[in-house]
Amino acid sequence: MARVQYSKLDRRHFPKIYLFLLPTLILFAMFYLWPIIQVLFTAFTKWDGFNSPKFDISNPFVNFLQLFKMRGFMPSLKNLFWWSLIAMTLHVGIGTLVGFLLAQKLKGWKFVRAVFMIPNVISSAAWAMIYRFIFNKDFGLLNGIIRTVNPNFAVNWFYESPAAFWAITFTWLFYAVIVTLIVLADLMAIPQELHEAAEIDGASGWKKTLKIDLPLCRNSIGTGVILSITSRIAMYENIALTSRGGPGNDTMGLAVLLVKSINDYNYGLANAIALMMFVFGILVMLLINRVFRMNDPVY
Amino acid sequence: MSQKVIVNGKKVKGSDGNVKKALTPGRVLYLICAYAVLLFIVLVSVGPIVWVIMSSFKSNAAILGSPFSLPDTFNFDAYGKVIGQFSFGTYALNSVLIASSSTVVAIVLLSMSSYVIAKYNFPFKNLIYVLLTVTLLVPGHTKTQPIFSLIMNLNLYDTKFGLFLVYLSSSIASSLFILRSNFASIPKELNEASEIDGAGFFRTFWQINMPLAKTGIFTAGILMFLGNWNEYYFASLLTSSPANRTLPVSLASFNQAFSYDYTRMFAALTLVVLPGIIIYMLAQEQVQASVAGSAVKG
């Protein structure tokens, strides 16, 4: 490794430089480093939050074993699987499609781009409340629309099985603006010469889109897949403020179980769930990176 | 930018220099489909909010009887009642106070660290930068218990200051991306000149660099403010009394608070949602650009 050269100016300012970094580093230590170390170690201990964590060498996976016995755990894994699948296909698909459409710069594209962002700048708690009203059995927007065709329709979306799973899904399914924005940024960066060359070779509009644009956007689509799955792993408000995981455990999620464990003073269990969320996130990232060959140069 | 596109053997160029493709039947069909998708996106994005706002002007009976009807009159009674009865003022004040103070302090602190990372070389610089930006990969919820216990141990449970502290750390990585690239784009010669003129390290930072980095500071600030203004998870975990409740948390208690007076519920929801939308409108382009930018870097 090449040695970094420090100029006279740099050297003279070393103390002040570290002084400037200090507050940020303290925040980092308090709210990232120490929490992560704590989660990593206490996930393997019994800990009620009052007494000190107890590590039992004969049974280091005590919390994980308890997790599998918890009634909400398997449903939350199952939900996470299906929601991730829907996220990486439909959700990212919608985002990518809108990105490609906006890149055509049809009349009004800036308006659509601006408006699409609005659900993302609203508190997710408020958005969950709005959806609770949209899916309300009596005066909800959705049942109102359906009743214009079928006047006797009355599904209580968030509180009936299997409607609840889909009600939760619809609170996030269409709102793929992040995917749209990053795909759009990638599309804008494609050199015009590539398109011109393809035209000379006689490629039609569709062919250009499928054979040039789509493969060149694989980094942003891959990023979109990672982001959309990690938001499913951490999804909390959409569940906690609507169905609360019910009916039964139909819509249970890991984050809801985590908060429940903290409220039950089972801190070891809470951190076992947290560790699981963290590991899932890393795995998804590595896997998608591989599948989309995101580290290979695009051009 | 003018470019040539060949459609059916004809080169067509619009009056504004943009390419206009010839309207073949296929193109018309394509346009219809494209606009159908875009219309759908606009409807699902603003439809729910428009419906909430409309309903806040309707009577309870009208909400239950005809969910689509437009309100007969625009009467703001429900808003008056929400603000008057529901300690709405306290919650709004808490939200403004916590979100703005944490944003201002965090942006100053993060500007300081971004500035030295952008402008100087020093030992462990890369390590520090990587550590700080890798925080983007840690989902916030995984740190729940440690942060909960930390705030408890500092005796800050159910205080505004506790929430302020947590929000200070809310977006270290994405702010660092924006601020660092902003400081890096300011010419280095400016620093040398100002030091030769006798301005010290601190004055060079505060009086020369900070004003020049104002676009980045503005963007990072808006993004952070929106995040903290909307935050629900930690606010619901770390506060309990109405005196320290923020607006997003107050939403959860709507049902009891309004005893199923839907007009008032919709009015309160409108009041919670609108400030975020307005702030976003003020800085629309920057918010979109940096959301895309920091997502790609992450």
Side-chain angles (χ1 to χ4, degrees):
Chain A
M1 223 173 83
R3 274 186 67 108
V4 187
Q5 292 295 311
Y6 303 113
S7 70
K8 232 187 201 160
L9 199 67
D10 289 338
R11 281 176 197 285
R12 194 148 47 86
H13 288 321
F14 276 169
K16 289 169 205 151
I17 286 170
Y18 290 114
L19 186 70
F20 264 42
L21 285 166
L22 192 65
T24 309
L25 290 177
I26 291 175
L27 282 180
F28 171 75
M30 272 173 79
F31 291 101
Y32 289 92
L33 190 63
W34 177 236
I36 290 166
I37 293 172
Q38 219 175 335
V39 166
L40 216 57
F41 283 102
T42 57
F44 301 96
T45 63
K46 288 286 339 149
W47 189 22
D48 59 6
F50 295 108
N51 305 302
S52 52
K54 280 190 197 64
F55 180 68
D56 180 4
I57 190 77
S58 64
N59 190 7
F61 298 107
V62 53
N63 292 316
F64 295 90
L65 292 175
Q66 195 188 340
L67 255 185
F68 279 96
K69 278 186 233 141
M70 237 173 134
R71 247 179 301 159
F73 183 66
M74 286 320 277
S76 70
L77 282 191
K78 197 185 95 194
N79 288 336
L80 179 58
F81 174 77
W82 285 111
W83 276 327
S84 301
L85 207 66
I86 296 172
M88 65 187 288
T89 52
L90 287 177
H91 177 81
V92 172
I94 292 169
T96 311
L97 174 68
V98 176
F100 271 76
L101 288 177
L102 292 183
Q104 307 283 315
K105 304 201 173 165
L106 300 170
K107 216 179 180 76
W109 73 281
K110 278 196 173 169
F111 171 75
V112 177
R113 189 182 61 171
V115 162
F116 199 16
M117 186 74 191
I118 288 179
N120 266 52
V121 298
I122 287 174
S123 169
S124 49
W127 199 246
M129 285 305 279
I130 291 176
Y131 260 90
R132 200 157 116 187
F133 292 136
I134 289 178
F135 284 122
N136 184 287
K137 183 175 146 227
D138 301 316
F139 61 85
L141 197 55
L142 185 67
N143 280 2
I145 294 173
I146 297 173
R147 273 189 209 124
T148 57
V149 190
N150 172 7
N152 295 321
F153 190 84
V155 167
N156 201 352
W157 289 91
F158 279 120
Y159 307 99
E160 277 177 34
S161 181
F165 176 87
W166 294 105
I168 301 274
T169 307
F170 280 114
T171 60
W172 54 266
L173 181 62
F174 302 121
Y175 306 105
V177 67
I178 308 278
V179 182
T180 298
L181 288 177
I182 54 184
V183 166
L184 195 58
D186 254 12
L187 280 174
M188 303 280 206
I190 294 175
Q192 198 53 47
E193 294 80 40
L194 274 176
H195 281 163
E196 283 167 10
E199 275 157 28
I200 292 166
D201 290 343
S204 66
W206 289 109
K207 257 207 171 125
K208 274 187 287 178
T209 306
L210 288 178
K211 302 267 168 170
I212 300 176
D213 296 341
L214 206 56
L216 287 178
C217 281
R218 63 162 202 269
N219 269 346
S220 53
I221 296 173
T223 310
V225 171
I226 293 171
L227 289 175
S228 60
I229 295 180
T230 44
S231 346
R232 283 328 111 215
I233 296 173
M235 181 159 70
Y236 178 76
E237 286 89 339
N238 305 42
I239 301 172
L241 285 169
T242 56
S243 67
R244 294 185 190 174
N249 284 309
D250 265 23
T251 56
M252 194 48 82
L254 288 176
V256 179
L257 289 178
L258 196 160
V259 171
K260 199 171 160 288
S261 318
I262 291 178
N263 289 333
D264 292 345
Y265 296 103
N266 197 339
Y267 287 11
L269 188 69
N271 286 343
I273 300 173
L275 184 62
M276 216 168 238
M277 289 164 72
F278 187 66
V279 171
F280 282 168
I282 300 283
L283 285 180
V284 165
M285 203 168 61
L286 294 177
L287 189 75
I288 301 298
N289 240 301
R290 253 292 175 66
V291 173
F292 283 79
R293 290 183 292 123
M294 286 167 68
N295 292 328
D296 300 354
V298 174
Y299 292 103
Chain B
M1 248 203 306
S2 82
Q3 56 196 34
K4 289 175 210 151
V5 166
I6 303 162
V7 181
N8 291 347
K10 278 177 283 181
K11 284 176 200 166
V12 193
K13 215 187 263 181
S15 53
D16 51 357
N18 282 331
V19 179
K20 284 229 175 79
K21 294 182 181 173
L23 281 177
T24 59
R27 175 87 183 146
V28 170
L29 188 68
Y30 165 77
L31 282 177
I32 290 172
C33 292
Y35 274 111
V37 172
L38 296 182
L39 181 70
F40 176 76
I41 290 300
V42 171
L43 280 182
V44 294
S45 300
V46 289
I49 298 157
V50 172
W51 178 67
V52 166
I53 297 173
M54 285 297 178
S55 302
S56 71
F57 294 110
K58 289 168 28 175
S59 69
N60 228 2
I63 291 172
L64 289 165
S66 45
F68 300 119
S69 64
L70 294 172
D72 301 329
T73 52
F74 282 96
N75 99 46
F76 286 86
D77 283 1
Y79 289 89
K81 281 181 191 146
V82 167
I83 294 170
Q85 292 174 359
F86 171 60
S87 343
F88 191 87
T90 314
Y91 307 147
L93 196 69
N94 287 343
S95 269
V96 171
L97 209 71
I98 297 171
S100 54
S101 61
S102 58
T103 304
V104 169
V105 174
I107 290 294
V108 171
L109 298 182
L110 292 173
S111 292
M112 287 159 53
S113 46
S114 314
Y115 168 73
V116 292
I117 290 172
K119 291 286 179 191
Y120 298 96
N121 283 318
F122 50 88
F124 305 116
K125 171 170 143 166
N126 288 334
L127 177 72
I128 289 173
Y129 186 61
V130 168
L131 276 179
L132 291 179
T133 49
V134 92
T135 57
L136 199 64
L137 303 179
V138 184
H141 293 15
T142 56
K143 303 170 300 171
T144 311
Q145 179 275 320
I147 290 182
F148 182 74
S149 297
L150 178 73
I151 296 297
M152 285 292 221
N153 294 337
L154 291 172
N155 262 327
L156 292 173
Y157 178 74
D158 196 23
T159 60
K160 295 187 224 3
F161 187 68
L163 218 48
F164 162 85
L165 264 187
V166 174
Y167 287 177
L168 274 188
S169 69
S170 64
S171 52
I172 290 184
S174 51
S175 306
L176 215 61
F177 283 138
I178 300 170
L179 292 170
R180 195 197 70 113
S181 68
N182 226 254
F183 282 116
S185 68
I186 300 170
K188 228 178 169 167
E189 291 74 34
L190 227 54
N191 271 17
E192 284 153 20
S194 113
E195 299 238 353
I196 290 164
D197 286 350
F201 182 83
F202 299 107
R203 269 187 64 190
T204 309
F205 166 69
W206 193 253
Q207 294 189 337
I208 311 274
N209 283 279
M210 280 297 264
L212 286 172
K214 62 175 183 289
T215 34
I217 291 170
F218 176 72
T219 309
I222 291 274
L223 281 175
M224 196 167 188
F225 181 84
L226 277 176
N228 292 346
W229 172 266
N230 289 333
E231 211 278 339
Y232 172 83
Y233 187 74
F234 281 108
S236 71
L237 271 170
L238 300 177
T239 62
S240 57
S241 65
N244 296 311
R245 199 172 281 165
T246 59
L247 280 179
V249 180
S250 76
L251 286 168
S253 53
F254 274 8
N255 274 333
Q256 299 101 318
F258 298 122
S259 58
Y260 298 93
D261 178 340
Y262 296 115
T263 310
R264 263 185 261 177
M265 246 191 264
F266 281 118
L269 203 48
T270 306
L271 286 173
V272 174
V273 161
L274 275 187
I277 299 179
I278 293 167
I279 291 163
Y280 158 68
M281 289 295 185
L282 296 176
Q284 213 214 92
E285 296 274 334
Q286 289 95 326
V287 171
Q288 286 167 10
S290 49
V291 164
S294 60
V296 171
K297 277 170 198 140

